[in-house]
Amino acid sequence: MNKLVQRALAVVATGALAFSGVTVSAAAPLPSAAPSITVAAAKKVPAVSIKKIGTKTVSGAAKATIKPSYSKAKNVKIKSALLKVVKGKKTIANKKKSVKLAAGTYKVTTTVKYQIKGKTSTVKKTQTLLVKKKAATKRSVKMNGKAKNCPAGYPVKGNRTGSEKEWKYHVKGQRFYDITKPEECFKTAADARKAGYRASKI
């Protein structure tokens, strides 16, 4: 009896759904998950980057001038860029826009104060700076007065024939150049003159 009632109720329910226009269908499969996309975070560019001041070379007692080296973003306003220079334990310059340095090794601190979007900030960096002395160019070579040939690069022959007043130099093409045994050889005739030699007349 119970089975007959259950079947009757099922028939009634199906008819009601059909009458209402609702159809029963298999459940649609769920859409598969969308592929994940990884977005790399953009690298943040610093507002101000302090660059290394390169090695300097000077001649003799001359001095090299150094200045702050840096780069900045477009919307950044530089308020100041200053240097502090220390040699050993001694501070030789502080809060300077530029510094002149003789040959030596220094600790150089660059400090840049800047403004961005109304906010003022400061960045600094310390480096070791080498100021090298340029090697002096050798202008002459001492000879023993026994060999006829000068070293390569020193073609002018300095010949001492007696007193200092008789010091002469010979250049290629002159009559006695090939047979002269020099006491000194020079890079140029000007170098020979500076050393006290006079030009040979023949």
Side-chain angles (χ1 to χ4, degrees), residues 2-191:
N2 290 334
K3 291 182 179 181
L4 291 175
V5 173
Q6 289 176 356
R7 288 178 182 176
L9 290 174
V11 171
V12 172
T14 302
L17 288 172
F19 181 76
S20 64
V22 177
T23 59
V24 179
S25 61
L30 293 174
S32 59
S36 60
I37 300 175
T38 303
V39 179
K43 189 175 180 180
K44 187 176 181 181
V45 178
V48 175
S49 294
I50 296 178
K51 298 180 179 180
K52 184 177 181 180
I53 301 172
T55 299
K56 304 294 183 181
T57 303
V58 295
S59 300
K63 293 184 177 182
T65 300
I66 63 168
K67 295 181 179 181
S69 179
Y70 59 88
S71 61
K72 68 180 186 70
K74 289 184 179 180
N75 57 339
V76 173
K77 181 180 180 181
I78 301 299
K79 305 289 286 184
S80 64
L82 303 173
L83 298 172
K84 177 182 179 181
V85 182
V86 177
K87 186 175 185 182
K89 295 183 178 180
K90 184 180 179 182
T91 299
I92 61 176
N94 194 19
K95 296 182 180 180
K96 300 293 184 181
K97 293 181 179 179
S98 65
V99 183
K100 290 187 176 183
L101 301 175
T105 302
Y106 305 87
K107 287 288 185 183
V108 179
T109 300
T110 302
T111 303
V112 178
K113 184 183 289 186
Y114 63 93
Q115 189 177 67
I116 180 171
K117 296 180 180 180
K119 181 181 178 182
T120 300
S121 301
T122 300
V123 62
K124 64 171 59 178
K125 185 175 184 180
T126 300
Q127 71 166 92
T128 299
L129 173 65
L130 176 63
V131 179
K132 299 190 300 183
K133 181 177 284 189
K134 187 177 182 180
T137 303
K138 195 174 183 180
R139 308 309 302 179
S140 69
V141 176
K142 298 292 184 182
M143 304 293 288
N144 57 17
K146 296 179 180 180
K148 292 181 180 180
N149 296 326
C150 284
Y154 298 84
V156 179
K157 293 182 177 182
N159 182 224
R160 302 174 187 178
T161 59
S163 68
E164 291 187 5
K165 292 182 180 180
E166 295 176 355
W167 286 16
K168 295 179 288 185
Y169 67 84
H170 304 264
V171 297
K172 288 183 178 180
Q174 288 186 311
R175 179 178 177 183
F176 296 113
Y177 181 84
D178 290 335
I179 63 173
T180 296
K181 296 178 180 179
E183 283 78 22
E184 196 168 4
C185 294
F186 298 90
K187 276 188 169 295
T188 66
D191 293 329

